[in-house]
Amino acid sequence: MTAIGKRWMMSAIGQPLLEHALELTPPAASEVTVQIAGCGVCHTDLGYYYNGVRTNHPLPLALGHEISGRVVAAGSDAESWLGRAVIIPAVIPCGQCDLCRRGKGTICPNQKMPGNDIQGGFATHITVPAHGLCAVDESRLRKAELSLADVAVVADAVTTPYQAVIQARVQPGTLSVVNGVGGVGGYCAQIATALGATVVAIDVDPKKLEAIAAVGGAAKTINAREVDPKDMKKLVGAFAKERGLPPKEWTIFECSGTAAGQQTAFGLLVHGATLAVVGFTMDKVELRLSNLMAFHARALGNWGCVPELYPAALDLVLDGRIKLSQFVEQHPLDSINEVFESVHAHRLSRRAVLVP
Amino acid sequence: MTAIGKRWMMSAIGQPLLEHALELTPPAASEVTVQIAGCGVCHTDLGYYYNGVRTNHPLPLALGHEISGRVVAAGSDAESWLGRAVIIPAVIPCGQCDLCRRGKGTICPNQKMPGNDIQGGFATHITVPAHGLCAVDESRLRKAELSLADVAVVADAVTTPYQAVIQARVQPGTLSVVNGVGGVGGYCAQIATALGATVVAIDVDPKKLEAIAAVGGAAKTINAREVDPKDMKKLVGAFAKERGLPPKEWTIFECSGTAAGQQTAFGLLVHGATLAVVGFTMDKVELRLSNLMAFHARALGNWGCVPELYPAALDLVLDGRIKLSQFVEQHPLDSINEVFESVHAHRLSRRAVLVP
């Protein structure tokens, strides 16, 4: 096979992304070539493009790590994937090393993240290791009235908070607080709800709060702009009391990726609390770290999600327990520069998926 | 029984502690009266006495929560303790509530901490709930050449880092860093070593580093005053490489209870790291909380130690795997005011145990 595809490459910070021809050569052993159905535009891509966060692979590089598509070529040991609809994990561990064998693929030293370690998904095709691919049942996809491009966002936007919720051990009866219910936090709220938590959603954007309440992802919403930060914990505590939920052991998901949001989330620590740091910001925050000790609380970070958890996260989507179609919108890949600008300017209320 | 004991009471911040007579009435059901062998002087006591940290019980109050002694009276349901040598947990959970039943006694809402919630151990006697008492085998104590007063420090100074080490899942092959090897951190280093870790001890006091190395509690010592904070991680990394220890998954114990120490400890995060926040300070620190996410790391606090873990911690002491006698010194309870002053002025290099 030597066919021609296309990819959109970043050559320098803020410079227009440019279309390049892409020669498709047969994948190596244990690798597959995926014809891309869609690739989501993530905050992380914007960090590379606008804010100078450095990619591990030198520029020029195609960004994009939320990828779904169909396997159109497979190397030896990967032939069973041929023709199948798949989601490519945002972080692909090697699957071989000691850490991978112990279920710690997110810190695998040989991991590959498309659009960071290797060429990414803003392209017609991508070649990746077959390890960790998540098969998509297309009949269930149709029943759920979703397209293969839609579920691109399962890689990262859905699975990252899914791993955070699993790590935090959310269960029926848990009070969860999700701070920031945008592209990632909205799914976080829905996932925590699906796993039995009663969710309080906090955001500065009333539209996002309405949207997440409308799909049943939050039992209560709080506009952070309307509440003195000092009163936030009291407000959540009053809600807990009203609902007969415990005053301790809250699980708090910081998904805003802002210093102010991290302050808010840290300020919600109660005895036995778990704070999941899901969003990323380069900014530092000033906080009393000793509160973790005084409250016997913990703060957990997670980098992406191990491939082992993708099928369960996808199940929630295909079963309709996570609503997805209300939160994504498809755009032609050719409009990538305009879409990046729109996302950067916060003009889109849904997550953009670029479709070749 | 109506006998007379004594206790030394705090009536106001920094005011001399005064001896009060203590009438001994028979303990209530499920309670015991302990004739105190020794009570350790902890940083936390000094926080109440010098820095205005508020006790939950109103003043006047006898401070002291690191208590060993002998049960001299027992209420109904607690008679089996009569005559036994015991360590009283620094935090006594109720043992009845849902949290206690789930092994989360440190966040039990009905917990009692001597010298904070109830009258403390700077006294000849104390009456406490029998729940959680840790029996001391006096023949093993003698073989270990320790007195009952010596093992008072097992409550808190030994068990608090013990719980931190257990929570952090230290095991053979782990690289542990202990920041601050004073009254608590020294035991932390010894415990991590006893459980199989290779320990790097960091402190600003060369004498403390020497003392902990001398008992085999650290494989490497670093004087924080002699290292640029930016180079600390590199230095530990080089040691890990030299010893063939993993460059990831370090367990870092912050025992200094200072903002500077917390900065140092947080700066040591590597992929998959666990940061245990053992020391307490009211001061805030400025840090990039998102590093927890980028490194898939976690920060764990623990408030004291559940009574269930006391016997295992005491075993390490009685087996000689934690050296204790080099790190404690006994003083008469009558000299409590002088001892508080000496501890506050950092004139003692060992933990003071007050003996009635």
Side-chain angles (χ1 to χ4, degrees):
Chain A
M1 174 177 83
T2 304
I4 295 292
K6 290 189 248 176
R7 61 164 71 111
W8 289 79
M9 311 276 280
M10 170 180 173
S11 55
I13 298 170
Q15 291 303 304
L17 302 162
L18 294 178
E19 188 184 307
H20 287 242
L22 164 62
E23 190 181 348
L24 298 176
T25 52
S30 305
E31 290 193 345
V32 295
T33 297
V34 174
Q35 181 173 4
I36 292 171
C39 182
V41 178
C42 174
H43 187 71
T44 309
D45 296 312
L46 270 57
Y48 299 134
Y49 186 67
Y50 289 103
N51 307 332
V53 178
R54 291 184 62 171
T55 56
N56 291 329
H57 186 290
L59 302 177
L61 179 72
L63 301 175
H65 54 270
E66 283 189 354
I67 311 165
S68 59
R70 186 176 306 282
V71 176
V72 292
S76 58
D77 295 333
E79 291 93 345
S80 65
W81 287 103
L82 207 58
R84 296 178 79 175
V86 294
I87 295 165
I88 300 172
V91 172
I92 311 167
C94 77
Q96 310 282 325
C97 68
D98 168 60
L99 288 160
C100 282
R101 281 195 300 263
R102 288 191 282 121
K104 299 200 168 187
T106 62
I107 57 168
C108 164
N110 311 311
Q111 64 181 244
K112 304 289 179 216
M113 175 175 161
N116 180 16
D117 297 301
I118 58 174
Q119 294 293 341
F122 298 134
T124 57
H125 297 78
I126 186 170
T127 297
V128 292
H131 174 73
L133 287 176
C134 175
V136 179
D137 181 329
E138 293 180 272
S139 65
R140 287 178 71 195
L141 195 63
R142 275 188 299 273
K143 273 186 207 155
E145 297 180 5
L146 291 168
S147 69
L148 185 54
D150 288 334
V151 294
V153 299
V154 168
D156 204 10
V158 173
T159 46
T160 297
Y162 184 79
Q163 166 141 329
V165 169
I166 295 294
Q167 267 196 170
R169 301 210 192 125
V170 166
Q171 52 192 7
T174 300
L175 174 64
S176 293
V177 182
V178 180
N179 190 54
V181 286
V184 168
Y187 296 120
C188 187
Q190 291 196 65
I191 293 162
T193 300
L195 296 189
T198 302
V199 172
V200 177
I202 303 175
D203 207 298
V204 292
D205 180 347
K207 281 184 194 156
K208 288 191 175 138
L209 291 170
E210 277 165 36
I212 200 65
V215 296
K220 180 181 175 66
T221 60
I222 299 175
N223 186 331
R225 290 245 163 84
E226 294 170 358
V227 177
D228 187 320
K230 285 177 195 160
D231 295 333
M232 192 64 89
K233 190 166 163 180
K234 246 185 266 175
L235 203 60
V236 176
F239 172 75
K241 200 168 179 184
E242 183 190 313
R243 290 292 184 100
L245 294 165
K248 304 191 175 194
E249 299 181 288
W250 298 349
T251 57
I252 304 147
F253 297 90
E254 198 324 279
C255 300
S256 76
T258 65
Q262 291 182 340
Q263 288 280 10
T264 299
F266 200 85
L268 289 171
L269 287 181
V270 290
H271 286 98
T274 298
L275 168 63
V277 182
V278 183
F280 181 82
T281 171
M282 295 287 281
D283 295 342
K284 293 183 172 186
V285 283
E286 204 187 34
L287 37 80
R288 188 184 293 146
L289 193 64
S290 299
N291 281 0
L292 290 174
M293 177 266 204
F295 287 123
H296 203 139
R298 56 185 190 159
L300 309 178
N302 66 295
W303 175 250
C305 174
V306 289
E308 292 87 334
L309 293 179
Y310 272 60
L314 177 60
D315 268 350
L316 290 179
V317 171
L318 296 180
D319 290 347
R321 300 180 71 195
I322 299 175
K323 308 291 183 207
L324 197 140
S325 54
Q326 294 90 326
F327 299 97
V328 294
E329 56 186 48
Q330 299 185 11
H331 295 265
L333 177 56
D334 286 352
S335 64
I336 186 169
N337 285 297
E338 294 81 352
V339 170
F340 264 52
E341 266 182 55
S342 297
V343 177
H344 191 226
H346 302 285
R347 281 198 300 267
L348 302 187
S349 59
R350 300 170 174 211
R351 193 148 183 114
V353 173
L354 295 175
V355 177
Chain B
M1 174 177 82
T2 304
I4 295 292
K6 290 188 249 175
R7 62 163 69 112
W8 289 78
M9 311 276 281
M10 170 180 173
S11 56
I13 298 171
Q15 291 304 303
L17 302 163
L18 294 178
E19 187 185 304
H20 287 240
L22 164 61
E23 191 182 347
L24 298 175
T25 51
S30 306
E31 289 192 345
V32 295
T33 297
V34 173
Q35 181 173 2
I36 293 172
C39 182
V41 179
C42 174
H43 187 72
T44 309
D45 296 311
L46 270 58
Y48 299 134
Y49 185 67
Y50 288 103
N51 307 332
V53 178
R54 290 185 62 170
T55 56
N56 292 328
H57 186 290
L59 302 178
L61 179 72
L63 302 175
H65 55 269
E66 282 189 354
I67 312 165
S68 59
R70 186 176 307 281
V71 176
V72 291
S76 58
D77 296 335
E79 291 93 345
S80 65
W81 287 102
L82 209 57
R84 297 180 76 175
V86 295
I87 294 164
I88 300 172
V91 171
I92 311 167
C94 77
Q96 310 281 324
C97 70
D98 168 60
L99 288 160
C100 282
R101 281 194 300 264
R102 288 192 281 120
K104 299 200 168 186
T106 62
I107 57 169
C108 164
N110 311 310
Q111 66 181 244
K112 304 288 179 217
M113 175 175 163
N116 180 16
D117 297 301
I118 58 174
Q119 294 293 339
F122 298 134
T124 56
H125 298 78
I126 185 170
T127 297
V128 293
H131 174 74
L133 286 176
C134 175
V136 179
D137 181 329
E138 293 180 271
S139 66
R140 288 178 71 195
L141 196 62
R142 275 188 299 274
K143 273 186 208 154
E145 297 180 5
L146 292 168
S147 70
L148 185 54
D150 289 333
V151 294
V153 300
V154 168
D156 205 10
V158 173
T159 46
T160 297
Y162 184 79
Q163 166 141 330
V165 169
I166 294 294
Q167 266 195 172
R169 301 208 191 126
V170 166
Q171 53 191 6
T174 299
L175 174 64
S176 293
V177 182
V178 179
N179 190 52
V181 287
V184 169
Y187 296 120
C188 187
Q190 290 196 66
I191 294 162
T193 299
L195 296 188
T198 302
V199 172
V200 177
I202 303 175
D203 207 298
V204 292
D205 180 347
K207 281 184 195 156
K208 288 191 174 137
L209 292 170
E210 276 165 37
I212 200 64
V215 296
K220 181 182 174 65
T221 60
I222 299 175
N223 186 331
R225 289 246 164 84
E226 295 170 358
V227 177
D228 187 319
K230 285 176 193 158
D231 295 332
M232 193 64 89
K233 191 165 163 180
K234 246 184 266 175
L235 203 60
V236 177
F239 172 75
K241 199 169 178 182
E242 184 189 313
R243 291 291 184 102
L245 294 165
K248 306 192 174 193
E249 298 182 289
W250 298 349
T251 57
I252 304 148
F253 297 90
E254 196 326 276
C255 300
S256 76
T258 65
Q262 291 182 340
Q263 288 280 10
T264 299
F266 200 86
L268 288 171
L269 287 181
V270 290
H271 286 98
T274 298
L275 168 63
V277 183
V278 184
F280 181 81
T281 171
M282 294 287 280
D283 295 341
K284 294 184 172 185
V285 283
E286 204 188 34
L287 37 80
R288 188 183 293 146
L289 193 65
S290 299
N291 282 0
L292 291 174
M293 177 266 204
F295 287 122
H296 202 139
R298 56 185 189 159
L300 309 179
N302 65 293
W303 175 249
C305 174
V306 290
E308 293 88 333
L309 293 179
Y310 272 60
L314 177 60
D315 268 350
L316 290 178
V317 171
L318 297 179
D319 290 346
R321 300 180 70 195
I322 300 176
K323 308 290 182 208
L324 196 140
S325 53
Q326 294 90 326
F327 299 97
V328 294
E329 57 186 47
Q330 299 185 11
H331 294 264
L333 177 57
D334 286 353
S335 64
I336 185 168
N337 285 296
E338 294 80 354
V339 170
F340 263 52
E341 265 182 57
S342 297
V343 177
H344 191 225
H346 302 284
R347 282 197 299 268
L348 303 186
S349 59
R350 300 171 173 209
R351 193 148 183 113
V353 173
L354 295 174
V355 176

